[in-house]
Amino acid sequence: MNRLAGKVAIITGGAGGIGRAAGAAFAEQGASVLLVDLDGQANSTRTFAEAPKGLSASSLFRKTPDGSVPEPVSHAVSLIHADVGINDVEGLPLETIKTPAAWLRQYRKDFEFCVIDTPPNLGRRLLAALIAGDYVVSPVGLNGYSIQGITDLQRTILTVKKKINPHLTNLGILPNLVNFRSKTQQTLLAGLRERLGDRMLPFELTNRVAVSDAIDNRHPVWRKGRGESSHKAGEEMRKVCGEIVGRILK
C-alpha cells in the first residue's frame, strides 16, 4: 500500500455507504487511512464513532486552527468527523473552498490514504474536496435526476482540474444502488455504458437489503452479514475498491 502514500480520493455523494466502506477496505489491506466526512448526514462518522471527538470537518474551513487533531477510531483509521456546523459551510464566502486543501496537506505524511466523503449536491463542500483531492469517483443512481446531476458534476470536475487543481484525476462513474429487476434501470445502465465507455467503472453496486442493514448497523457490508445478499454485496464492494486502487496505481 506504500504506493498509495499521501493520496487523496474523493467519493462524491456516496449513498449506500461507499465512502466509509472504501476507507474500511483500504485499512483492511494495510493502509493507514484518514476518513474525512463532509456530509451533514454524518453516516461515515456514525459508523466509526458514536460520540466523535477530535478535529471536526467544519474546522477545515477555518483559517485559524482550534488545536484538534483527527481522532483514531481503529488501528488503521482516523476520522475528521462531520459536525453540526458542516452544513453551514455552504453559506461561507466562496474563497473558503481552498482552505481544506491547505489543512489536509499537512496530514499527507501521516496517512497512506485519505478518503473524503462528500454530499451529493454541488456546493462549497464538494468544490473544496475537488480542490484538495488527487482522484475522484462519482457514484450515480439510475434515474433521470441523478444522471443529470452526474453530468453537471463531470463538467465541474473538468472546470476544477483546468482552473484550480491540475492534479485531479477522474477515476470514473460508478452505477450505484442498481435495481436489476427494473427494465428502466437496465436500459439506463446500458445507455450510460454505451455512451461513456471506459469513463464508467466496470462494476455496479446492486441495491440489496444487506447494504441498508450494514448502514443501519454501522459496519462495512462484508462484515457480520449472513446469507447470499451479504456475500454478494460484500464481493461487489471489494471489487469496486480494488478497481479504484488499480486505477490509482496505473
Side-chain angles (χ1 to χ4, degrees), residues 4-235:
L4 290 175
K7 303 298 185 184
V8 179
I10 305 148
I11 312 292
T12 65
I18 301 173
R20 63 181 179 276
F26 299 143
E28 287 186 359
Q29 294 181 42
S32 57
V33 176
L34 175 62
L35 179 60
V36 183
D37 189 359
L38 297 183
D39 192 345
Q41 293 186 1
N43 289 331
S44 291
T45 294
R46 285 193 290 266
T47 294
F48 288 98
E50 291 187 17
K53 301 175 290 186
L55 186 63
S56 66
S58 65
S59 298
L60 297 176
F61 292 84
R62 301 174 190 155
K63 291 185 177 180
T64 304
D66 63 3
S68 300
V69 296
E71 177 188 3
V73 290
S74 75
H75 73 283
V77 178
S78 291
L79 175 69
I80 297 179
H81 67 270
D83 59 315
V84 294
I86 191 60
N87 291 324
D88 296 335
V89 164
E90 299 301 332
L92 295 178
L94 186 59
E95 59 266 21
T96 59
I97 62 175
K98 296 183 179 181
T99 307
W103 288 123
L104 292 176
R105 201 172 297 125
Q106 67 181 296
Y107 295 117
R108 286 180 181 247
K109 67 181 185 302
D110 300 321
F111 298 95
E112 290 179 302
F113 202 62
C114 174
V115 176
I116 305 177
D117 199 0
T118 77
N121 53 301
L122 291 172
R124 281 159 172 66
R125 286 170 288 173
L126 182 49
L127 287 171
L130 294 175
I131 292 168
D134 301 304
Y135 305 94
V136 56
V137 177
S138 306
V140 60
L142 294 180
N143 60 70
Y145 293 111
S146 295
I147 290 173
Q148 180 57 51
I150 209 72
T151 301
D152 294 341
L153 173 60
Q154 299 308 298
R155 293 195 190 102
T156 301
I157 291 170
L158 287 173
T159 299
V160 171
K161 180 178 178 66
K162 182 178 179 179
K163 295 186 176 181
I164 305 175
N165 181 7
H167 303 292
L168 182 64
T169 299
N170 192 349
L171 295 180
I173 298 168
L174 172 65
N176 186 34
L177 298 179
V178 180
N179 180 3
F180 283 101
R181 295 180 181 179
S182 166
K183 291 184 179 180
T184 299
Q185 290 202 9
Q186 290 181 37
T187 300
L188 286 170
L189 178 59
L192 280 174
R193 291 208 176 280
E194 181 178 1
R195 187 166 77 250
L196 299 177
D198 61 5
R199 283 180 286 175
M200 300 278 289
L201 293 181
F203 303 109
E204 307 90 19
L205 293 177
T206 306
N207 189 3
R208 303 180 188 277
V209 172
V211 175
S212 58
D213 285 349
I215 293 171
D216 291 340
N217 293 310
R218 303 191 306 175
H219 59 72
V221 70
W222 58 85
R223 282 190 205 157
K224 301 180 182 180
R226 296 180 180 178
E228 185 178 9
S229 177
S230 293
H231 175 74
K232 288 184 176 180
E235 285 299 307

